[in-house]
Structures are given as structure tokens and as C-alpha cells.
Amino acid sequence: MASLLDQQRAFAAALRDRDGMSTAAGVAPVVNLDVYRHNSDWQFRNALGLSFPVVRRRVGDDYFRELATEYRRRFPSRSGDLHWVGRDFAGFLAAHLEGSDYAWLADLATLEWARELASVAETRSAIGAEALAGFAPEDLEQLVFTFQPSLQLGASVFPVVSVWLANQVENAPPVSQSVGPEAYMVHVRHDSVETTMLEPPLHAYLSALKAGARLAEAMSTADLDEAALLAALQFMFSRGMVCAIYSENR
Amino acid sequence: MQRPAVAWIEAHTENYFHDGGAAVRALELARANYPLSLHGVGLGLGSAEGLDRDHLARIKRAIDRFEPALVSEHACWGRAGGEFFNDLLPLPYTDEAVKLLATQVSQAQDFLGRRLLIENVSAYVAFANSQLDEWDFLAAVARESGCGLLLDVNNVFVSSRNLGLDARAFIAGLPRESVGEIHLAGHARSASGVLIDDHGSAVCEEVWELYRLALARFGALPTLIEWDTAIPELSRLVEESHRADAILQERHGIAA
């Protein structure tokens, strides 16, 4: 007689493969294994759709179902917590749609996954611009910033932010790809996840700071002048993005 | 803010594993106003590949954070070969499965530092090698692990209709002292006539009747209406909860 382990593996094999629906699982009625197949498929697809609502809206339910089925085959759930099933979806789409007219969907999925990560991140106490007054002027260039855990930054050669914003309603008209590259940030503000389009210098500056660069390094990387730096600092502090500042002399 | 007139609330544990976010904040607010039960759907304590220690640690973190009055899981498994099916898959009712489930329930209880309630799941297939009736299986797991049982009356009804079993015998067969909570829910019927435990409609009359039978056997127990797909207006859900309250009061003079 098969062990429980063997029996569960046979049951799992039957769920994965309709043609492999064998009596090895030792169940009856065998046809009712379809209920489990359907439940498992639906749970996975539904969780994926909740993480990628705009991708789903753009491709339609039927194609989304096809994508989800193929994605699940290659990237099955690895956790009892369904929240994370979408973690490889953008990469899957990039490979699956490479060279097609729909390659931009991968970058749209990256944006939506950034929103998903932001939506479950801890919210810490934010500090205001007055915190800068606690540092000596000669230390300002050495300052390092700690951001809210929800902060996510991204960029695409496609206008993914415009697509995402336009598709907050059903049946939105297509966004022309001629709009061009876009950069963005996602973070939680006033208890809701915000998606904000960024000019390339501000995106470069924030990305450098988030990666741990000192203020002067980030300013140089983004090629910001003093006026642009002041505007960037105001942008960060007014949105509650900064949790801590410290001076790092290297 | 209006507080719905319900005695307590139950939440799926896995939805509150995160560091922050709107769902966590909402549950914190609810917990400040109501007793809470955390009901897990992803641990799969009957998995023959062993206890999922990472998942268990996340459950402990949620318990520490929300301090629920009750914590429950299912008599099921959910993973094989590293793949999670994210479903409540059925166990054969064998001595081997009793031993494995009881051992892993015991390990989980030791780690969490508290007693679990283990729920009977809806079944769509039966195993040819089952040696026990489901109620004897659950009773043995409770006896060997010291866990309590969560009696899902709708699941009893669904399984009994799908597999030709006796729902009344199920309720009569469970150990009186082990049942600590009751679930009620609606179900759907597939095109081929299989009853599906979808939690998407009102509790049917047959399940209400079985609920009365369960109260007569097990006494007054906290009772939850599970309605988490095709979710109606809150007032409709509360109305269903009040129907359970009324039956409890009729039998025991207290609210669910």
C-alpha cells in the first residue's frame, strides 16, 4: 500500500496534469479531482489578478487566464501565502513577450508589483525638513537618507505610468507608445499607495539616495543644480518620504 | 464610525502576515473593538512533506501582534514537491494520517504556545484506503494532539452530499468535549451536481437544521458565518449572523 507521502505526490501529479489523472491517488470519483484543479487554478489566477489589475484589464480576462496558466506552470506557488505568487510575473512576461508588440506589459507589471510591495510595507514616522537644521553646514554633503520602506522607484522605455493612470477605468483608449520613456515612484502617503511620474533627474537623484549614496553624490549623479536640489528636498520631505538622516564621513 | 452588532470577528491569518498596509491597520482597528479569531488556510498541517516552519513562524508573529482569542487551522494538506496548491486538499482517514496530522498539530501547538482548533474540510473525493469514518479520524487527532475541533457544518453537509455520507452521524460521532467553534456558510452546485464550498451565498435550510443538531450536542459555541466570495452588503451578512444568534438564544439563551 502506498504511503501517505506517495499518495499526496500522486494526488499532486493528478492536479498538475489532466492527462495524468490516474488511480494512483486512490480516490473516487476521479472526475471530482477537477474541483480541486479548478479551485487551485482559480486561487492562483485570482491572486495574480489582484496584484496586476491593469495588466489584466489591458489584456482581457481570456488572455490573462492563458498567461496565468503558463506562468503557473513555470512558476508554481512556493508559499501557503498567496500574496507572493506574482513576484516573478514581470520577468515571466518579459521573456514570454520579448520582441512582440506587447513587451511593454512586462514593465507595466513591474510597476504594479512595486505598488503591491508598497501596499504591505511598514509605515514609519516621517521627519520634516527641519531635521536638516541639526547638522553643521559642512556635513550636509555627507548626509545619507533613510526612506519609508514603501518607497519603490522604477523606469521604463515605455510610457507605463501613462498607461497605468489611463487604465484606472474600464475601456480606456490605448496610450501611444510614442509618448516615450517614463520614470516613477510608488510610495504610501496618507494610508494609500500613490504612483507619481518623475522627471529623469529627480528619479536618478532619488534612486541614488535610496541606494545609500551621500547627498553630494546623488546630486552629482542626477546632475542637479542647487535650485533643483532644494526642490528635490522639498519634494521628499513634503511627501513624508524620509524616516531618518545621518551624516556619513567616509 | 458605526460598529456592526456582532459579538466577535474572524480573519484569515495569511492576510495579516505583512509589516504594514491597509489590511493590517483595519484588523488592528477591529481588534481594538472586538474579540478576534485567526483562521489559517495555508499551513496544511497534514502535509506528508513535513511542517512548514516558515509559515508557522509567520502565524506566530500574527498571533503575537493581534492576540486572538481563538486560532484555527484545517485537517488538510496543500503542498508536494515544493509546490503549494493553496487549497484545502483532503486526507485519507488512515492510522498513518492520524499519526502524522496529530504529530504536526502537536508540534505547531508547542511552537505557538497555544491550543489549535482543527476544522473538517469539504470533500469532493473519498480515498479507497480510508480505514476510519471522518469523525473518528478527527476524534483521534484531537485525542492524540490535545487540539480542539472547529466544526464546519456546511462542510459536513457538502461532503455528505458529494460522497453519500450521513451528516447526522458525523455530528453525533464527534467527541462532545472537543468542539470549540462552529462555522456556517453557503455553497454552490456545479453543472454536474457536485456541491462546492464557495462561501458565496446564504446558509441553506438543511445546514441550519444541522446547526441546531450541533448545538444540541455540543452546547453554546461561538458561531461564524463565512461569506467571503460574492460578498453581500454588510447588513445582509450581519442579518445572517443574527439568525445564528437567534438559534443560539433559542437553545441556550446567549448570543453567538
Side-chain angles (χ1 to χ4, degrees), chain A residues 139-201:
Chain A
D139 284 342
L140 291 179
E141 290 192 341
Q142 309 302 321
L143 295 184
V144 175
F145 293 74
T146 301
F147 292 102
Q148 291 284 1
S150 67
L151 178 64
Q152 308 287 326
L153 293 153
S156 170
V157 297
F158 302 109
V160 289
V161 186
S162 297
V163 171
W164 187 85
L165 290 169
N167 283 277
Q168 297 310 298
V169 295
E170 294 280 2
N171 303 316
V175 172
S176 169
Q177 296 298 321
S178 66
V179 171
E182 289 180 343
Y184 59 87
M185 76 169 193
V186 170
H187 78 137
V188 172
R189 188 181 184 198
H190 304 314
D191 284 348
S192 67
V193 180
E194 290 189 355
T195 302
T196 308
M197 190 139 25
L198 300 177
E199 292 299 321

Side-chain angles (χ1 to χ4, degrees), chain A residues 3-5 7-9 11-12 15-16 25-29 32-33 35-36 39-40 43 72 76-84 119-123 191, chain B residues 14 17-21 25 42 46-49 55 77 80-87 89-92 96-97 100 123-129 194 196:
Chain A
S3 68
L4 183 59
L5 180 61
Q7 204 164 11
Q8 290 184 356
R9 288 178 175 167
F11 197 105
L15 295 187
R16 289 187 193 104
V27 300
N32 281 4
L33 283 171
V35 176
Y36 295 102
N39 281 350
S40 195
Q43 294 282 7
R72 185 178 178 216
S77 174
R78 298 295 183 196
S79 170
D81 174 8
L82 270 167
H83 183 86
W84 301 108
S119 75
V120 296
E122 177 190 5
T123 299
D191 284 348
Chain B
E14 286 77 9
F17 276 180
H18 309 299
D19 292 333
R25 287 191 294 277
S47 173
E49 293 190 349
H55 199 93
W77 64 285
E83 177 174 3
F84 287 72
F85 292 90
N86 301 106
D87 195 9
L89 300 178
L91 289 161
E96 182 190 8
L100 178 116
Y124 309 104
V125 296
F127 289 85
N129 64 328
V194 178
I196 309 291

